[in-house]
Amino acid sequence: MDLKIKRSEFGSIENLGKVLSEAEAMELLRDWVKNEKLLLHMAQVGHLMRSWAQSKGMSPEDQYRWYLAGLLHDADWEKHPDLHCRVIIDELESRQIDPEIIRAIASHGPRHFGVEPITQMDKMLYGFDELSGLIHAYSLMRPDGYEGMEVKGVKKRLKDKSFAAQVSREDIQDACDRAKLDLNELIEFIIEHQIPSL
């Protein structure tokens, strides 16, 4: 299945700062996504993106833009797996949404979509996506969930290729390298900020 997007420009610079309201974003997700696990994953990544932006002292407006990129990044996965992320990109472009949000979504899997993460928003969405899923899977097998979870436990699961086998270890390392982030730091941030459920 070829998911390559085959372009590198998205949206219009005239739409910088233009966002969906929370109600509009949730309405879109309710229409497109029925899988509760997928909805939770997108909510988790959205929350991580907003928390990271907040930790870097970004404005509330920028925090919200980061949140939307995370919240909507897999919106078309359930209905259109063979056109992921093209459908959500087209939808957001038709609504004249901020091009930085659209670009971050387009670049959250460069090996799959062929769009390189360039901005910090791009790189952090790429970084949080796979690792968030693995850490959540680990929380589900622990009696206390996220409580008391340690970085070394997550790294042990990362080394075990049979655990959450669909999670790309290669992408996780590549994302850390691109964002110049220490893997331990990223794991610790997710443990501290990940929401456990909707």
Side-chain angles (χ1 to χ4, degrees), residues 5 8 10 49 65-66 68-70 72-73 85 88-89 92 98-110 113 115-127 129:
I5 294 171
S8 57
F10 302 94
M49 288 287 283
R65 291 189 317 118
W66 279 56
L68 274 185
L72 298 174
H73 77 283
C85 302
I88 186 59
I89 288 168
L92 296 178
D98 189 317
E100 292 183 359
I101 293 171
I102 301 172
R103 189 177 209 296
I105 291 171
S107 66
H108 83 267
F113 311 125
V115 180
E116 294 299 305
I118 294 171
T119 69
Q120 200 61 16
M121 188 193 291
D122 297 348
K123 292 172 184 175
M124 292 312 301
L125 179 54
Y126 179 33
D129 185 29

Side-chain angles (χ1 to χ4, degrees), residues 44-61:
Q44 286 174 327
V45 175
H47 183 73
L48 289 170
M49 288 287 283
R50 176 153 48 194
S51 298
W52 184 269
Q54 185 177 25
S55 77
K56 298 303 177 186
M58 295 185 201
S59 68
E61 292 77 19

Side-chain angles (χ1 to χ4, degrees), residues 77-184:
W77 171 248
E78 184 178 354
K79 276 183 132 178
H80 306 282
D82 53 338
L83 294 172
H84 179 50
C85 302
R86 281 176 261 183
V87 177
I88 186 59
I89 288 168
D90 289 347
E91 179 71 20
L92 296 178
E93 286 181 328
S94 74
R95 297 193 191 203
Q96 300 180 315
I97 297 304
D98 189 317
E100 292 183 359
I101 293 171
I102 301 172
R103 189 177 209 296
I105 291 171
S107 66
H108 83 267
R111 192 161 52 91
H112 305 289
F113 311 125
V115 180
E116 294 299 305
I118 294 171
T119 69
Q120 200 61 16
M121 188 193 291
D122 297 348
K123 292 172 184 175
M124 292 312 301
L125 179 54
Y126 179 33
F128 282 134
D129 185 29
E130 294 285 295
L131 192 50
S132 166
L134 181 137
I135 291 174
H136 185 64
Y138 178 39
S139 79
L140 295 176
M141 64 176 284
R142 300 181 76 250
D144 298 323
Y146 288 91
E147 189 179 333
M149 187 185 289
E150 296 182 349
V151 171
K152 65 182 180 182
V154 174
K155 291 187 85 170
K156 185 177 178 183
R157 296 305 175 287
L158 269 172
K159 287 177 185 168
D160 178 2
K161 300 289 176 64
S162 66
F163 178 78
Q166 76 282 6
V167 171
S168 170
R169 277 66 172 168
E170 180 186 333
D171 283 357
I172 289 170
Q173 189 56 57
D174 182 46
C176 285
D177 292 344
R178 289 171 186 262
K180 296 182 168 53
L181 278 175
D182 178 70
L183 177 60
N184 292 351

